[in-house]
Amino acid sequence: MNRKPGTHPLSRPASLPGGKEGASPVSQHVVLVTGFEPFGGEKSNPSWDLCELLPAIIAGLRVVKVRVPCEFHRCIEVAATAIERHKPELVICVGQAGGRTHLSIERVAINIDDARVPDNVGAAPVDEAIAPQGPPAYFATLPVKAMAAAMRAAGVPAEVSNTAGTYVCNHLMYGVLHFIAVKKPGTRAGFIHVPFDEQQVRDRNGTPSMSLATMARGIEAAIAVATSGGEIKVSEGRLD
């Protein structure tokens, strides 16, 4: 997808409308939760469907939910617009990773797009930087290990993941963290991958899945512990 010079979403203030977050600005005590529209031929996307099950208030923070497109660049524009408008204390982006068995709290996003399949508008960048002047990677600024522990304590299978891939999910995680680093320092953000939901795998024998209610319970537990900001020192390293 060719872009005119100076039109990269990370090179200018966000200005496009975003999702279902409403028109009125919100000043304080907000957690912004984003989920994706369906992609890859799916009729639904649990990352967004679970958002609709989240309560209005979690740990004293008002929950603002925004659906983002499964599109390189545009997903960052929508999320950045919502961050500008609502000024959240926390940003939790959620995406689907079909085939995973756990909710995966991502530790790191890398500055590269390497699309295996096109996004929803046909873009398939290969070996392209997300932010040409940005650092090679960003670490989530949320307590990822504490969040995984809180999810497990709530009865939800959870893990820390050390790869968010190189598709739109990694693109959004990196883009949001870069936008925050440049324009909204102090806001904390991260990304959580979720499995297929049970309805998606009815005809896919043996494919891992999880109920939307269980996913939503895990996300709620993660948000609640993230408000404290306190991390725990335990091993969450993986061989893969």
Side-chain angles (χ1 to χ4, degrees):
M1 182 182 293
N2 295 324
R3 289 179 172 269
K4 297 179 181 179
T7 63
H8 194 285
L10 295 180
S11 67
R12 68 188 191 283
S15 60
L16 297 177
K20 298 183 178 181
E21 74 274 19
S24 300
V26 178
S27 57
Q28 294 179 357
H29 308 304
V30 166
V31 54
L32 176 68
V33 185
T34 74
F36 280 101
E37 67 183 3
F39 73 100
E42 298 288 340
K43 295 180 180 179
S44 62
N45 191 320
S47 69
W48 173 247
D49 294 341
L50 72 84
C51 288
E52 299 190 305
L53 299 180
L54 295 175
I57 303 290
I58 298 175
L61 297 180
R62 189 161 66 86
V63 180
V64 173
K65 310 163 190 178
V66 176
R67 191 168 93 152
V68 297
C70 186
E71 300 175 28
F72 292 100
H73 303 299
R74 173 71 173 148
C75 64
I76 300 174
E77 293 173 338
V78 170
T81 297
I83 294 168
E84 289 274 27
R85 180 172 297 165
H86 296 288
K87 301 176 175 58
E89 298 178 17
L90 302 178
V91 180
I92 309 285
C93 299
V94 186
Q96 175 187 286
R100 295 199 188 188
T101 57
H102 292 56
L103 269 63
S104 300
I105 305 94
E106 299 297 344
R107 194 198 303 250
V108 62
I110 59 175
N111 189 9
I112 197 73
D113 289 331
D114 198 1
R116 179 175 50 85
V117 295
D119 68 8
N120 279 0
V121 293
V126 173
D127 295 338
E128 292 184 12
I130 300 167
Q133 305 305 316
Y138 280 104
F139 284 98
T141 50
L142 299 174
V144 296
K145 293 182 177 181
M147 291 163 69
M151 288 177 166
R152 292 191 290 262
V156 180
E159 64 188 359
V160 172
S161 167
N162 294 310
T163 174
T166 56
Y167 193 52
V168 183
C169 286
N170 175 78
H171 183 93
L172 178 62
M173 181 181 177
Y174 183 96
V176 165
L177 287 166
H178 185 64
F179 177 80
I180 286 171
V182 173
K183 297 184 177 294
K184 301 291 180 182
T187 301
R188 295 182 293 129
F191 195 100
I192 300 173
H193 268 122
V194 299
F196 285 126
D197 73 51
E198 293 171 335
Q199 299 302 312
Q200 289 177 292
V201 301
R202 279 184 166 180
D203 301 319
R204 302 175 188 177
N205 227 5
T207 302
S209 67
M210 190 178 293
S211 73
L212 287 173
T214 299
M215 295 184 206
R217 186 167 76 249
I219 299 299
E220 182 176 357
I223 292 171
V225 77
T227 60
S228 69
E231 185 58 292
I232 58 176
K233 193 173 182 64
V234 298
S235 175
E236 287 277 358
R238 292 177 47 156
L239 296 178
D240 58 353

